[in-house]
Amino acid sequence: MEYSTFGRHVAVDTWGVDFELLNNAEFLQAQMVDAAEASGATVLSVQAKQFEPQGATVLVMLSESHLSIHTYPERGFAAIDCYTCGETVDPQVAIDYLVSVLKPDKTYAKKLVRGIGELQVEDPVMKQAQFA
């Protein structure tokens, strides 16, 4: 069976996020797993690190690739990205989920379409979806 190399990589910078949300690796880990599952991805493993005096990094390894967040609570900033291979899992769903949880004042996002030749850079449609 031949596999497609097609993938989508969505990166978003969020600003104006509550310090307490960004400074809680345990909370972020739970939200990241929920976001991955909401997108239809298969979670293989999770690593989370709480930094001192503040900040967190959470990496979610997916069967389809990865979802990550790096936070700077003192600046209200988080860098989030999700890359998924294939067409069945949409990384934008995971990003939208996390943005709906973090409720930033501002977001800046780009989507890379990968694995089809030259990288294509697009402006993704960000949705403030309500997830239950």
Side-chain angles (χ1 to χ4, degrees):
M1 173 179 217
E2 187 172 324
Y3 291 95
S4 170
T5 56
F6 172 80
R8 291 164 290 183
H9 195 158
V10 180
V12 61
D13 285 357
T14 62
W15 293 92
V17 180
D18 179 79
F19 181 96
E20 297 303 323
L21 295 180
L22 296 181
N23 199 40
N24 186 335
E26 187 175 317
F27 167 79
L28 292 169
Q29 179 175 330
Q31 297 307 312
M32 300 272 291
V33 168
D34 288 349
E37 290 174 349
S39 75
T42 302
V43 174
L44 298 177
S45 67
V46 181
Q47 284 193 298
K49 172 66 177 172
Q50 180 71 51
F51 294 100
E52 294 297 333
Q54 70 263 330
T57 291
V58 180
L59 304 172
V60 180
M61 184 188 309
L62 307 173
S63 178
E64 300 79 9
S65 196
H66 75 272
L67 174 63
S68 68
I69 188 168
H70 307 278
T71 74
Y72 299 80
E74 71 279 14
R75 299 216 173 150
F77 174 75
I80 306 167
D81 81 291
C82 185
Y83 176 47
T84 61
C85 300
E87 298 193 31
T88 58
V89 176
D90 185 353
Q92 189 64 52
V93 173
I95 296 294
D96 290 341
Y97 185 100
L98 292 170
V99 169
S100 74
V101 168
L102 297 176
K103 298 178 177 42
D105 293 334
K106 294 181 184 174
T107 60
Y108 303 96
K110 292 293 180 192
K111 177 169 76 172
L112 290 175
V113 180
R114 305 178 73 177
I116 57 172
E118 183 154 346
L119 295 175
Q120 295 176 17
V121 180
E122 301 176 359
D123 291 319
V125 176
M126 300 290 292
K127 297 177 184 162
Q128 289 289 334
Q130 297 298 323
F131 292 91

